[in-house]
PDB file of all heavy atoms in Angstrom:
ATOM      1  N   THR A 202     145.553  81.194 110.665  1.00 98.00           N
ATOM      2  CA  THR A 202     146.178  82.497 110.408  1.00 98.00           C
ATOM      3  C   THR A 202     147.470  82.212 109.664  1.00 98.00           C
ATOM      4  O   THR A 202     148.198  81.248 109.900  1.00 98.00           O
ATOM      5  CB  THR A 202     146.466  83.273 111.686  1.00 98.00           C
ATOM      6  OG1 THR A 202     147.067  84.525 111.351  1.00 98.00           O
ATOM      7  CG2 THR A 202     147.394  82.550 112.618  1.00 98.00           C
ATOM      8  N   THR A 203     147.799  83.153 108.784  1.00 98.00           N
ATOM      9  CA  THR A 203     149.061  83.088 108.053  1.00 98.00           C
ATOM     10  C   THR A 203     149.899  84.361 108.150  1.00 98.00           C
ATOM     11  O   THR A 203     150.852  84.549 107.524  1.00 98.00           O
ATOM     12  CB  THR A 203     148.869  82.779 106.562  1.00 98.00           C
ATOM     13  OG1 THR A 203     147.985  83.786 105.992  1.00 98.00           O
ATOM     14  CG2 THR A 203     148.192  81.416 106.379  1.00 98.00           C
ATOM     15  N   ASP A 204     149.423  85.226 109.095  1.00 98.00           N
ATOM     16  CA  ASP A 204     150.085  86.477 109.324  1.00 98.00           C
ATOM     17  C   ASP A 204     150.311  86.787 110.805  1.00 98.00           C
ATOM     18  O   ASP A 204     150.258  87.935 111.263  1.00 98.00           O
ATOM     19  CB  ASP A 204     149.326  87.651 108.658  1.00 98.00           C
ATOM     20  CG  ASP A 204     147.863  87.743 109.152  1.00 98.00           C
ATOM     21  OD1 ASP A 204     147.566  87.086 110.198  1.00 98.00           O
ATOM     22  OD2 ASP A 204     147.125  88.536 108.582  1.00 98.00           O
ATOM     23  N   GLY A 205     150.577  85.723 111.579  1.00 97.00           N
ATOM     24  CA  GLY A 205     150.888  85.874 112.984  1.00 97.00           C
ATOM     25  C   GLY A 205     149.666  86.178 113.842  1.00 97.00           C
ATOM     26  O   GLY A 205     149.862  86.576 115.004  1.00 97.00           O
ATOM     27  N   GLY A 206     148.466  86.043 113.297  1.00 97.00           N
ATOM     28  CA  GLY A 206     147.273  86.273 114.066  1.00 97.00           C
ATOM     29  C   GLY A 206     146.696  87.644 113.892  1.00 97.00           C
ATOM     30  O   GLY A 206     145.673  87.950 114.490  1.00 97.00           O
ATOM     31  N   ALA A 207     147.259  88.452 113.026  1.00 97.00           N
ATOM     32  CA  ALA A 207     146.662  89.766 112.725  1.00 97.00           C
ATOM     33  C   ALA A 207     145.261  89.508 112.120  1.00 97.00           C
ATOM     34  O   ALA A 207     144.312  90.249 112.377  1.00 97.00           O
ATOM     35  CB  ALA A 207     147.500  90.511 111.785  1.00 97.00           C
ATOM     36  N   ASN A 208     145.166  88.377 111.384  1.00 98.00           N
ATOM     37  CA  ASN A 208     143.886  88.003 110.786  1.00 98.00           C
ATOM     38  C   ASN A 208     143.677  86.513 110.910  1.00 98.00           C
ATOM     39  O   ASN A 208     144.623  85.762 110.634  1.00 98.00           O
ATOM     40  CB  ASN A 208     143.796  88.336 109.286  1.00 98.00           C
ATOM     41  CG  ASN A 208     143.868  89.853 109.055  1.00 98.00           C
ATOM     42  OD1 ASN A 208     142.904  90.573 109.156  1.00 98.00           O
ATOM     43  ND2 ASN A 208     145.072  90.344 108.739  1.00 98.00           N
ATOM     44  N   TRP A 209     142.538  86.089 111.413  1.00 98.00           N
ATOM     45  CA  TRP A 209     142.161  84.694 111.553  1.00 98.00           C
ATOM     46  C   TRP A 209     140.982  84.462 110.641  1.00 98.00           C
ATOM     47  O   TRP A 209     140.020  85.210 110.639  1.00 98.00           O
ATOM     48  CB  TRP A 209     141.800  84.337 112.984  1.00 98.00           C
ATOM     49  CG  TRP A 209     142.973  84.189 113.896  1.00 98.00           C
ATOM     50  CD1 TRP A 209     143.553  85.159 114.601  1.00 98.00           C
ATOM     51  CD2 TRP A 209     143.661  83.010 114.183  1.00 98.00           C
ATOM     52  NE1 TRP A 209     144.559  84.682 115.369  1.00 98.00           N
ATOM     53  CE2 TRP A 209     144.680  83.343 115.101  1.00 98.00           C
ATOM     54  CE3 TRP A 209     143.528  81.641 113.788  1.00 98.00           C
ATOM     55  CZ2 TRP A 209     145.556  82.381 115.627  1.00 98.00           C
ATOM     56  CZ3 TRP A 209     144.403  80.701 114.299  1.00 98.00           C
ATOM     57  CH2 TRP A 209     145.424  81.040 115.179  1.00 98.00           C
ATOM     58  N   ALA A 210     141.053  83.396 109.828  1.00 98.00           N
ATOM     59  CA  ALA A 210     139.978  83.000 108.957  1.00 98.00           C
ATOM     60  C   ALA A 210     139.293  81.757 109.640  1.00 98.00           C
ATOM     61  O   ALA A 210     139.947  80.768 109.888  1.00 98.00           O
ATOM     62  CB  ALA A 210     140.453  82.623 107.600  1.00 98.00           C
ATOM     63  N   SER A 211     138.002  81.850 109.885  1.00 97.00           N
ATOM     64  CA  SER A 211     137.285  80.747 110.485  1.00 97.00           C
ATOM     65  C   SER A 211     136.270  80.170 109.535  1.00 97.00           C
ATOM     66  O   SER A 211     135.690  80.890 108.688  1.00 97.00           O
ATOM     67  CB  SER A 211     136.562  81.190 111.759  1.00 97.00           C
ATOM     68  OG  SER A 211     135.546  82.101 111.479  1.00 97.00           O
ATOM     69  N   ALA A 212     136.014  78.877 109.597  1.00 98.00           N
ATOM     70  CA  ALA A 212     135.115  78.169 108.723  1.00 98.00           C
ATOM     71  C   ALA A 212     134.660  76.882 109.373  1.00 98.00           C
ATOM     72  O   ALA A 212     135.092  76.547 110.447  1.00 98.00           O
ATOM     73  CB  ALA A 212     135.755  77.897 107.349  1.00 98.00           C
ATOM     74  N   ILE A 213     133.743  76.212 108.726  1.00 98.00           N
ATOM     75  CA  ILE A 213     133.166  74.954 109.208  1.00 98.00           C
ATOM     76  C   ILE A 213     133.487  73.834 108.223  1.00 98.00           C
ATOM     77  O   ILE A 213     133.315  74.017 107.022  1.00 98.00           O
ATOM     78  CB  ILE A 213     131.659  75.045 109.426  1.00 98.00           C
ATOM     79  CG1 ILE A 213     131.346  76.112 110.509  1.00 98.00           C
ATOM     80  CG2 ILE A 213     131.075  73.715 109.809  1.00 98.00           C
ATOM     81  CD1 ILE A 213     129.870  76.428 110.728  1.00 98.00           C
ATOM     82  N   VAL A 214     133.953  72.740 108.700  1.00 98.00           N
ATOM     83  CA  VAL A 214     134.198  71.554 107.838  1.00 98.00           C
ATOM     84  C   VAL A 214     132.899  71.093 107.281  1.00 98.00           C
ATOM     85  O   VAL A 214     131.921  70.786 108.082  1.00 98.00           O
ATOM     86  CB  VAL A 214     134.932  70.428 108.581  1.00 98.00           C
ATOM     87  CG1 VAL A 214     135.082  69.193 107.703  1.00 98.00           C
ATOM     88  CG2 VAL A 214     136.278  70.950 109.100  1.00 98.00           C
ATOM     89  N   PRO A 215     132.714  71.002 105.983  1.00 97.00           N
ATOM     90  CA  PRO A 215     131.412  70.536 105.387  1.00 97.00           C
ATOM     91  C   PRO A 215     130.993  69.211 105.965  1.00 97.00           C
ATOM     92  O   PRO A 215     131.786  68.254 105.958  1.00 97.00           O
ATOM     93  CB  PRO A 215     131.722  70.474 103.908  1.00 97.00           C
ATOM     94  CG  PRO A 215     132.788  71.480 103.705  1.00 97.00           C
ATOM     95  CD  PRO A 215     133.666  71.400 104.927  1.00 97.00           C
ATOM     96  N   GLY A 216     129.741  69.089 106.392  1.00 96.00           N
ATOM     97  CA  GLY A 216     129.241  67.854 106.918  1.00 96.00           C
ATOM     98  C   GLY A 216     129.602  67.565 108.340  1.00 96.00           C
ATOM     99  O   GLY A 216     129.230  66.542 108.877  1.00 96.00           O
ATOM    100  N   ALA A 217     130.387  68.453 108.944  1.00 98.00           N
ATOM    101  CA  ALA A 217     130.831  68.250 110.330  1.00 98.00           C
ATOM    102  C   ALA A 217     130.238  69.295 111.317  1.00 98.00           C
ATOM    103  O   ALA A 217     130.823  69.499 112.378  1.00 98.00           O
ATOM    104  CB  ALA A 217     132.374  68.273 110.374  1.00 98.00           C
ATOM    105  N   GLU A 218     129.201  69.881 110.918  1.00 97.00           N
ATOM    106  CA  GLU A 218     128.636  70.948 111.682  1.00 97.00           C
ATOM    107  C   GLU A 218     128.237  70.569 113.149  1.00 97.00           C
ATOM    108  O   GLU A 218     128.222  71.425 114.071  1.00 97.00           O
ATOM    109  CB  GLU A 218     127.347  71.501 111.021  1.00 97.00           C
ATOM    110  CG  GLU A 218     127.640  72.186 109.674  1.00 97.00           C
ATOM    111  CD  GLU A 218     127.719  71.191 108.522  1.00 97.00           C
ATOM    112  OE1 GLU A 218     127.608  69.932 108.758  1.00 97.00           O
ATOM    113  OE2 GLU A 218     127.858  71.651 107.414  1.00 97.00           O
ATOM    114  N   ALA A 219     127.965  69.288 113.363  1.00 97.00           N
ATOM    115  CA  ALA A 219     127.541  68.812 114.671  1.00 97.00           C
ATOM    116  C   ALA A 219     128.727  68.241 115.510  1.00 97.00           C
ATOM    117  O   ALA A 219     128.522  67.805 116.626  1.00 97.00           O
ATOM    118  CB  ALA A 219     126.464  67.757 114.580  1.00 97.00           C
ATOM    119  N   LEU A 220     129.912  68.331 114.959  1.00 98.00           N
ATOM    120  CA  LEU A 220     131.072  67.725 115.611  1.00 98.00           C
ATOM    121  C   LEU A 220     131.847  68.762 116.419  1.00 98.00           C
ATOM    122  O   LEU A 220     131.811  69.945 116.189  1.00 98.00           O
ATOM    123  CB  LEU A 220     131.988  67.114 114.610  1.00 98.00           C
ATOM    124  CG  LEU A 220     131.437  65.961 113.709  1.00 98.00           C
ATOM    125  CD1 LEU A 220     132.491  65.445 112.734  1.00 98.00           C
ATOM    126  CD2 LEU A 220     130.897  64.834 114.613  1.00 98.00           C
ATOM    127  N   ASP A 221     132.541  68.219 117.453  1.00 98.00           N
ATOM    128  CA  ASP A 221     133.372  69.037 118.326  1.00 98.00           C
ATOM    129  C   ASP A 221     134.809  68.689 118.136  1.00 98.00           C
ATOM    130  O   ASP A 221     135.261  67.639 118.528  1.00 98.00           O
ATOM    131  CB  ASP A 221     132.935  68.760 119.765  1.00 98.00           C
ATOM    132  CG  ASP A 221     133.529  69.742 120.797  1.00 98.00           C
ATOM    133  OD1 ASP A 221     134.417  70.590 120.350  1.00 98.00           O
ATOM    134  OD2 ASP A 221     133.204  69.721 121.969  1.00 98.00           O
ATOM    135  N   PHE A 222     135.555  69.605 117.417  1.00 98.00           N
ATOM    136  CA  PHE A 222     136.974  69.320 117.135  1.00 98.00           C
ATOM    137  C   PHE A 222     137.796  69.788 118.294  1.00 98.00           C
ATOM    138  O   PHE A 222     138.161  70.909 118.452  1.00 98.00           O
ATOM    139  CB  PHE A 222     137.375  70.050 115.872  1.00 98.00           C
ATOM    140  CG  PHE A 222     136.777  69.492 114.594  1.00 98.00           C
ATOM    141  CD1 PHE A 222     135.992  70.271 113.779  1.00 98.00           C
ATOM    142  CD2 PHE A 222     137.059  68.160 114.245  1.00 98.00           C
ATOM    143  CE1 PHE A 222     135.430  69.746 112.581  1.00 98.00           C
ATOM    144  CE2 PHE A 222     136.472  67.640 113.093  1.00 98.00           C
ATOM    145  CZ  PHE A 222     135.704  68.410 112.247  1.00 98.00           C
ATOM    146  N   ARG A 223     138.183  68.826 119.168  1.00 98.00           N
ATOM    147  CA  ARG A 223     138.916  69.114 120.359  1.00 98.00           C
ATOM    148  C   ARG A 223     140.473  69.110 120.103  1.00 98.00           C
ATOM    149  O   ARG A 223     141.224  69.462 121.002  1.00 98.00           O
ATOM    150  CB  ARG A 223     138.628  68.066 121.470  1.00 98.00           C
ATOM    151  CG  ARG A 223     137.226  68.106 122.003  1.00 98.00           C
ATOM    152  CD  ARG A 223     136.961  69.366 122.820  1.00 98.00           C
ATOM    153  NE  ARG A 223     135.627  69.451 123.352  1.00 98.00           N
ATOM    154  CZ  ARG A 223     135.301  69.035 124.544  1.00 98.00           C
ATOM    155  NH1 ARG A 223     136.178  68.429 125.314  1.00 98.00           N
ATOM    156  NH2 ARG A 223     134.034  69.132 124.921  1.00 98.00           N
ATOM    157  N   ASP A 224     140.867  68.747 118.893  1.00 98.00           N
ATOM    158  CA  ASP A 224     142.321  68.694 118.640  1.00 98.00           C
ATOM    159  C   ASP A 224     142.588  69.042 117.187  1.00 98.00           C
ATOM    160  O   ASP A 224     141.861  68.658 116.267  1.00 98.00           O
ATOM    161  CB  ASP A 224     142.901  67.285 118.965  1.00 98.00           C
ATOM    162  CG  ASP A 224     144.384  67.253 119.093  1.00 98.00           C
ATOM    163  OD1 ASP A 224     145.010  68.335 118.992  1.00 98.00           O
ATOM    164  OD2 ASP A 224     144.919  66.171 119.334  1.00 98.00           O
ATOM    165  N   VAL A 225     143.679  69.790 117.012  1.00 98.00           N
ATOM    166  CA  VAL A 225     144.153  70.068 115.674  1.00 98.00           C
ATOM    167  C   VAL A 225     145.683  69.972 115.671  1.00 98.00           C
ATOM    168  O   VAL A 225     146.336  70.371 116.620  1.00 98.00           O
ATOM    169  CB  VAL A 225     143.756  71.498 115.193  1.00 98.00           C
ATOM    170  CG1 VAL A 225     144.196  72.560 116.153  1.00 98.00           C
ATOM    171  CG2 VAL A 225     144.296  71.814 113.781  1.00 98.00           C
ATOM    172  N   ASP A 226     146.275  69.269 114.665  1.00 98.00           N
ATOM    173  CA  ASP A 226     147.740  69.201 114.540  1.00 98.00           C
ATOM    174  C   ASP A 226     148.044  69.657 113.131  1.00 98.00           C
ATOM    175  O   ASP A 226     147.601  69.090 112.133  1.00 98.00           O
ATOM    176  CB  ASP A 226     148.209  67.776 114.723  1.00 98.00           C
ATOM    177  CG  ASP A 226     148.275  67.392 116.215  1.00 98.00           C
ATOM    178  OD1 ASP A 226     147.219  67.498 116.862  1.00 98.00           O
ATOM    179  OD2 ASP A 226     149.371  67.004 116.676  1.00 98.00           O
ATOM    180  N   ALA A 227     148.864  70.724 113.019  1.00 98.00           N
ATOM    181  CA  ALA A 227     149.168  71.363 111.736  1.00 98.00           C
ATOM    182  C   ALA A 227     150.684  71.314 111.474  1.00 98.00           C
ATOM    183  O   ALA A 227     151.515  71.284 112.459  1.00 98.00           O
ATOM    184  CB  ALA A 227     148.672  72.763 111.721  1.00 98.00           C
ATOM    185  N   PHE A 228     151.064  71.344 110.184  1.00 98.00           N
ATOM    186  CA  PHE A 228     152.493  71.272 109.827  1.00 98.00           C
ATOM    187  C   PHE A 228     152.926  72.391 108.959  1.00 98.00           C
ATOM    188  O   PHE A 228     154.136  72.698 108.824  1.00 98.00           O
ATOM    189  CB  PHE A 228     152.743  69.925 109.174  1.00 98.00           C
ATOM    190  CG  PHE A 228     152.502  68.777 110.077  1.00 98.00           C
ATOM    191  CD1 PHE A 228     151.278  68.189 110.157  1.00 98.00           C
ATOM    192  CD2 PHE A 228     153.503  68.314 110.958  1.00 98.00           C
ATOM    193  CE1 PHE A 228     151.022  67.140 111.037  1.00 98.00           C
ATOM    194  CE2 PHE A 228     153.264  67.294 111.836  1.00 98.00           C
ATOM    195  CZ  PHE A 228     152.042  66.700 111.879  1.00 98.00           C
ATOM    196  N   ASP A 229     152.006  73.087 108.303  1.00 98.00           N
ATOM    197  CA  ASP A 229     152.311  74.261 107.527  1.00 98.00           C
ATOM    198  C   ASP A 229     151.013  75.001 107.264  1.00 98.00           C
ATOM    199  O   ASP A 229     149.944  74.660 107.817  1.00 98.00           O
ATOM    200  CB  ASP A 229     153.042  73.918 106.224  1.00 98.00           C
ATOM    201  CG  ASP A 229     152.351  72.860 105.426  1.00 98.00           C
ATOM    202  OD1 ASP A 229     151.143  72.930 105.238  1.00 98.00           O
ATOM    203  OD2 ASP A 229     153.058  71.933 104.920  1.00 98.00           O
ATOM    204  N   ALA A 230     151.038  75.950 106.350  1.00 98.00           N
ATOM    205  CA  ALA A 230     149.826  76.732 106.087  1.00 98.00           C
ATOM    206  C   ALA A 230     148.797  75.903 105.308  1.00 98.00           C
ATOM    207  O   ALA A 230     147.636  76.283 105.262  1.00 98.00           O
ATOM    208  CB  ALA A 230     150.183  77.956 105.271  1.00 98.00           C
ATOM    209  N   ASP A 231     149.183  74.787 104.754  1.00 98.00           N
ATOM    210  CA  ASP A 231     148.275  73.948 103.938  1.00 98.00           C
ATOM    211  C   ASP A 231     147.838  72.679 104.648  1.00 98.00           C
ATOM    212  O   ASP A 231     146.691  72.177 104.380  1.00 98.00           O
ATOM    213  CB  ASP A 231     148.933  73.606 102.611  1.00 98.00           C
ATOM    214  CG  ASP A 231     149.193  74.785 101.781  1.00 98.00           C
ATOM    215  OD1 ASP A 231     148.306  75.709 101.716  1.00 98.00           O
ATOM    216  OD2 ASP A 231     150.253  74.890 101.080  1.00 98.00           O
ATOM    217  N   THR A 232     148.686  72.073 105.459  1.00 98.00           N
ATOM    218  CA  THR A 232     148.456  70.739 105.982  1.00 98.00           C
ATOM    219  C   THR A 232     148.045  70.698 107.457  1.00 98.00           C
ATOM    220  O   THR A 232     148.773  71.239 108.308  1.00 98.00           O
ATOM    221  CB  THR A 232     149.721  69.900 105.781  1.00 98.00           C
ATOM    222  OG1 THR A 232     150.163  69.940 104.451  1.00 98.00           O
ATOM    223  CG2 THR A 232     149.476  68.424 106.165  1.00 98.00           C
ATOM    224  N   ALA A 233     146.901  70.127 107.770  1.00 98.00           N
ATOM    225  CA  ALA A 233     146.483  70.062 109.119  1.00 98.00           C
ATOM    226  C   ALA A 233     145.495  68.847 109.313  1.00 98.00           C
ATOM    227  O   ALA A 233     144.825  68.456 108.367  1.00 98.00           O
ATOM    228  CB  ALA A 233     145.758  71.337 109.546  1.00 98.00           C
ATOM    229  N   TYR A 234     145.495  68.303 110.503  1.00 98.00           N
ATOM    230  CA  TYR A 234     144.589  67.216 110.927  1.00 98.00           C
ATOM    231  C   TYR A 234     143.628  67.779 111.962  1.00 98.00           C
ATOM    232  O   TYR A 234     144.011  68.544 112.824  1.00 98.00           O
ATOM    233  CB  TYR A 234     145.296  66.015 111.485  1.00 98.00           C
ATOM    234  CG  TYR A 234     146.248  65.286 110.558  1.00 98.00           C
ATOM    235  CD1 TYR A 234     147.548  65.755 110.302  1.00 98.00           C
ATOM    236  CD2 TYR A 234     145.868  64.113 109.991  1.00 98.00           C
ATOM    237  CE1 TYR A 234     148.425  65.034 109.518  1.00 98.00           C
ATOM    238  CE2 TYR A 234     146.707  63.377 109.170  1.00 98.00           C
ATOM    239  CZ  TYR A 234     147.996  63.836 108.920  1.00 98.00           C
ATOM    240  OH  TYR A 234     148.839  63.176 108.125  1.00 98.00           O
ATOM    241  N   LEU A 235     142.368  67.350 111.923  1.00 98.00           N
ATOM    242  CA  LEU A 235     141.397  67.632 112.961  1.00 98.00           C
ATOM    243  C   LEU A 235     140.882  66.392 113.548  1.00 98.00           C
ATOM    244  O   LEU A 235     140.568  65.398 112.832  1.00 98.00           O
ATOM    245  CB  LEU A 235     140.214  68.408 112.377  1.00 98.00           C
ATOM    246  CG  LEU A 235     140.427  69.852 111.887  1.00 98.00           C
ATOM    247  CD1 LEU A 235     139.251  70.357 111.119  1.00 98.00           C
ATOM    248  CD2 LEU A 235     140.765  70.780 113.073  1.00 98.00           C
ATOM    249  N   LEU A 236     140.654  66.312 114.867  1.00 98.00           N
ATOM    250  CA  LEU A 236     140.075  65.195 115.520  1.00 98.00           C
ATOM    251  C   LEU A 236     138.830  65.642 116.295  1.00 98.00           C
ATOM    252  O   LEU A 236     138.890  66.580 117.104  1.00 98.00           O
ATOM    253  CB  LEU A 236     141.055  64.522 116.501  1.00 98.00           C
ATOM    254  CG  LEU A 236     140.532  63.320 117.303  1.00 98.00           C
ATOM    255  CD1 LEU A 236     141.600  62.260 117.474  1.00 98.00           C
ATOM    256  CD2 LEU A 236     139.998  63.734 118.674  1.00 98.00           C
ATOM    257  N   SER A 237     137.717  64.968 116.018  1.00 98.00           N
ATOM    258  CA  SER A 237     136.466  65.260 116.755  1.00 98.00           C
ATOM    259  C   SER A 237     136.245  64.160 117.827  1.00 98.00           C
ATOM    260  O   SER A 237     136.675  63.031 117.593  1.00 98.00           O
ATOM    261  CB  SER A 237     135.267  65.333 115.773  1.00 98.00           C
ATOM    262  OG  SER A 237     135.043  64.090 115.194  1.00 98.00           O
ATOM    263  N   ILE A 238     135.577  64.530 118.892  1.00 98.00           N
ATOM    264  CA  ILE A 238     135.368  63.596 119.951  1.00 98.00           C
ATOM    265  C   ILE A 238     133.902  63.123 119.968  1.00 98.00           C
ATOM    266  O   ILE A 238     133.061  63.668 119.289  1.00 98.00           O
ATOM    267  CB  ILE A 238     135.678  64.242 121.316  1.00 98.00           C
ATOM    268  CG1 ILE A 238     134.694  65.362 121.643  1.00 98.00           C
ATOM    269  CG2 ILE A 238     137.104  64.721 121.356  1.00 98.00           C
ATOM    270  CD1 ILE A 238     134.634  65.803 123.055  1.00 98.00           C
ATOM    271  N   GLY A 239     133.672  62.065 120.743  1.00 96.00           N
ATOM    272  CA  GLY A 239     132.319  61.528 120.900  1.00 96.00           C
ATOM    273  C   GLY A 239     132.295  60.045 120.813  1.00 96.00           C
ATOM    274  O   GLY A 239     133.192  59.378 120.332  1.00 96.00           O
TER     275      GLY A 239
END
């Protein structure tokens, strides 16, 4: 979200449809890390 949660955009990381992203660390509207478990 870039508007305080009034709108959330959801999507799937290409090629990661079977993964479970248990962690996300973000730094701005552009930069973020995702960690999948397993």
Side-chain angles (χ1 to χ4, degrees):
T202 182
T203 58
D204 57 12
N208 295 279
W209 284 88
S211 64
I213 296 174
V214 176
E218 296 83 358
L220 298 181
D221 191 352
F222 289 121
R223 293 291 180 93
D224 197 2
V225 56
D226 281 58
F228 297 90
D229 51 44
D231 295 320
T232 308
Y234 295 82
L235 291 170
L236 179 142
S237 64
I238 65 163

